[in-house]
Amino acid sequence: MNSKTALGVILVIIGGMIVLRIFGFTLGPIFSWLFPIIMIGLGYVGLRNGKNWIGMILIAVGAIMLLGKLSGVLFLVLAIAAIAIGISMIKGKSR
C-alpha cells in the first residue's frame, strides 16, 4: 500500500466517522468496550511470544478497565442472587 492509498483510507474513515456523528451515532461507547479487550488480546499475544512482563501488564490493565465497565452488570447479578437466596430462605422457613 503506497502513501496515497493509505491517505485515502484514512480520509474515508475520518469522513465516515463525521457522517455517523452527524446522524447521532458515535463510536465512543464501542471503543470504550473494545479497547480493554484489545489490550487483553495483545497481552495474550505477548505471553505467547515470551514477553511475560509486558503480557501480564497488558492483561492486568485491560482486565481492570473491563471490570470497571462490567461493574454495573456484576452488581445487578449480585442483587438478583441476593433476592433469590432471600426468597429461598423465606420459603424454607415456612415449611
Side-chain angles (χ1 to χ4, degrees):
M1 183 185 308
N2 60 19
S3 62
K4 257 186 159 179
T5 307
L7 180 62
V9 169
I10 291 171
L11 286 174
V12 168
I13 291 172
I14 290 173
M17 290 175 66
I18 291 171
V19 168
L20 288 174
R21 185 165 188 161
I22 288 172
F23 286 119
F25 181 76
T26 60
L27 298 176
I30 295 170
F31 284 124
S32 72
W33 283 93
L34 194 60
F35 187 68
I37 294 170
I38 290 173
M39 287 185 70
I40 292 171
L42 289 175
Y44 177 74
V45 170
L47 286 176
R48 297 284 292 178
N49 291 328
K51 308 287 186 195
N52 292 337
W53 281 102
I54 293 174
M56 291 302 289
I57 290 171
L58 285 174
I59 289 174
V61 170
I64 290 170
M65 289 172 65
L66 198 58
L67 187 64
K69 301 278 181 209
L70 293 174
S71 64
V73 175
L74 292 175
F75 282 125
L76 179 64
V77 169
L78 286 175
I80 292 171
I83 291 169
I85 291 170
I87 289 173
S88 69
M89 292 174 81
I90 291 169
K91 285 185 176 182
K93 285 191 173 205
S94 65
R95 289 184 185 180

